Amino acid sequence: MRVVVTGAAGFIGSHLVEALVAGGHDVLAVDVSGRGATQHRAELARAGVTVTECDLAADDLAPLADSDVILHLAGRPGVRGSGGPQTWRDNVTATRRLAEACAGHGTRIVLASSSSVYGSAERPCGEDDATAPLSAYATSKLAAERIVRRGGCDGVVLRFFTVYGPRQRPDMAFHRFIEAGLDGVPAPLFGDGGQSRSFTYVGDVVAATVRAALVPLPGGTVVNVGSPVTVTIGDALDRIGRLLGTTPPTVTKDVAPGDVACTWAGTDRAARLLGWTASTGLDDGLARQIAWHRGRRRG
């Protein structure tokens, strides 16, 4: 299968490219020049993959349409600091141009969206539940979803729930907490730690994304990709401390505007359509992420 991965040098994208190559697929890895960690690009190079530089919001995208499926992970991530024209450009304009380039080619686009489109959950969120984005980031992801679902391409939307694991972005909570525990330098803790999340291991997310590329799905399908178990950030911090053997120091900060109190994945559709459920427990996933942090320090 000919697969394009956008955002290939990112946290999830680099894992996804490696899995596809290992599965024998013909992969074109695409990212913006300078975007993504240099280490991720080096790891992909060791796997025999060169990242092709492409700005989806400005460059010619016709070559990308010559593929069976595009796994579209590129975009500007994160609720904190989102907003302004750059978020819209990278998440919405880029997706619109990609959908336009693929229209009429029969190319499936699988869009990586976000649980943030639901707003704050009080129960497991189903894909047909009302959306209530509370941030510019969430609004941009919902707009990108609508483009893919209505843009004349074979669009599928995956809503990712708080992904963690090796190569996690430095701005994300587990990365900050683990580094704080290893360095003894306090990491920011936004709020009182009572917010809860469906933390989902990156390997599980990659498995679901590959399934979405391979399994026949009706155009416009939306699927949650997340753990059905919610855990508070405070509990996760305690688990990290137990695994490290030391409590990561933190300094309390105000909750960022648009940061939801709870994400909670309803997973029935993923099990039914993709044959997928998250299989990695939080302690096991955190142990793997901690091992990666320690490995980086050893060089």
Side-chain angles (χ1 to χ4, degrees):
M1 184 172 65
R2 171 72 167 169
V3 186
V4 173
V5 178
T6 72
F11 161 39
I12 304 171
S14 60
H15 285 283
L16 180 59
V17 169
E18 287 178 343
L20 289 164
V21 170
H25 299 289
D26 179 12
V27 181
L28 175 62
V30 172
D31 214 316
V32 177
S33 179
R35 186 75 61 83
T38 301
Q39 182 184 14
H40 300 355
R41 291 172 182 260
E43 286 162 345
L44 291 177
R46 285 193 289 272
V49 178
T50 300
V51 177
T52 298
E53 310 299 340
C54 180
D55 182 350
L56 301 181
D59 293 342
D60 178 15
L61 304 185
L64 305 189
D66 183 23
S67 58
D68 298 304
V69 61
I70 297 175
L71 302 177
H72 181 31
L73 277 68
R76 187 162 293 268
V79 170
R80 297 184 196 93
S82 69
Q86 200 65 35
T87 295
W88 196 261
R89 177 191 186 277
D90 290 350
N91 293 353
V92 183
T93 301
T95 301
R96 175 182 53 78
R97 295 186 75 248
L98 187 62
E100 290 172 351
C102 292
H105 287 269
T107 307
R108 170 176 288 185
I109 297 178
V110 178
L111 171 70
S113 187
S114 167
S115 61
S116 65
V117 302
Y118 291 115
S120 192
E122 297 180 353
R123 56 180 178 79
C125 293
E127 291 87 348
D128 295 328
D129 288 352
T131 53
L134 300 177
S135 65
Y137 168 74
T139 299
S140 73
K141 296 304 282 187
L142 188 58
E145 287 189 10
R146 289 169 176 158
I147 290 167
V148 167
R149 296 179 71 188
R150 302 173 185 173
C153 56
D154 180 18
V156 172
V157 171
L158 303 181
R159 290 174 177 164
F160 293 168
F161 282 71
T162 316
V163 187
Y164 73 98
R167 305 180 196 168
Q168 191 183 47
R169 297 194 322 269
D171 62 293
M172 299 184 76
F174 288 178
H175 188 115
R176 296 196 313 266
F177 294 157
I178 293 168
E179 289 294 305
L182 294 173
D183 289 335
V185 178
L189 173 63
F190 295 97
D192 61 3
Q195 309 98 307
S196 58
R197 299 286 184 268
S198 285
F199 296 111
T200 313
Y201 185 68
V202 64
D204 291 337
V205 170
V206 165
T209 306
V210 173
R211 292 288 294 167
L214 297 175
V215 173
L217 294 171
T221 298
V222 179
V223 182
N224 289 338
V225 175
S227 168
V229 179
T230 60
V231 176
T232 67
I233 292 172
D235 183 14
L237 180 58
D238 289 342
R239 293 174 188 235
I240 290 170
R242 289 195 296 272
L243 290 165
L244 286 172
T246 184
T247 300
T250 60
V251 56
T252 301
K253 301 285 187 179
D254 290 339
V255 175
D259 204 1
V260 302
C262 176
T263 66
W264 195 348
T267 58
D268 289 349
R269 185 174 293 180
R272 177 166 49 86
L273 296 184
L274 300 180
W276 175 90
T277 56
S279 61
T280 306
L282 183 56
D283 286 344
D284 287 343
L286 285 172
R288 295 174 198 176
Q289 182 166 347
I290 288 169
W292 174 77
H293 283 260
R294 285 177 164 152
R296 291 170 72 217
R297 290 163 178 261
R298 291 192 295 267

